[in-house]
Amino acid sequence: KRAIGTMSILLETTFGDLVLDLDIKGSPSLSKNILKLAKARYYTNTLLYNVLPGKYCQMGDPKGDGTGGCSIYGLIDAYQSVDTSV
């Protein structure tokens, strides 16, 4: 049973299904970012690393080298900074 203000999403991986429990009320921006990136299939073929079963894992690093990836906010900023007046 989920707590009020939470949401779960299912990610299918080559190692099996991964259920992410998102705390929508406690971390609204993080939850929105994960949901939007999942919907855009950003996590497809992305490595999972730094896994602590039952606690957490890290993902979304396209190079797999620990330098990180992008967020929906970075995508929005990049899109808005493009000069479309040409």
Side-chain angles (χ1 to χ4, degrees):
K1 188 173 180 179
R2 283 187 279 150
I4 295 173
T6 65
M7 174 184 241
S8 296
I9 63 171
L10 173 70
L11 297 178
E12 297 171 342
T13 74
T14 56
F15 291 104
D17 294 345
L18 177 66
V19 177
L20 301 179
D21 294 323
L22 304 175
D23 181 4
I24 304 292
K25 283 182 94 174
S27 300
S29 295
L30 175 63
S31 298
K32 180 179 178 181
N33 186 58
I34 291 171
L35 289 168
K36 295 282 186 177
L37 289 175
K39 185 175 181 180
R41 303 185 59 89
Y42 178 79
Y43 299 116
T44 301
N45 297 320
T46 300
L47 296 173
L48 290 174
Y49 61 97
N50 198 16
V51 177
L52 184 59
K55 296 290 183 182
Y56 67 86
C57 69
Q58 289 179 274
M59 60 187 292
D61 181 5
K63 294 180 184 177
D65 62 4
T67 58
C70 126
S71 73
I72 60 167
Y73 307 104
L75 291 174
I76 291 168
D77 291 342
Y79 176 76
Q80 289 176 347
S81 68
V82 173
D83 183 8
T84 58
S85 62
V86 248

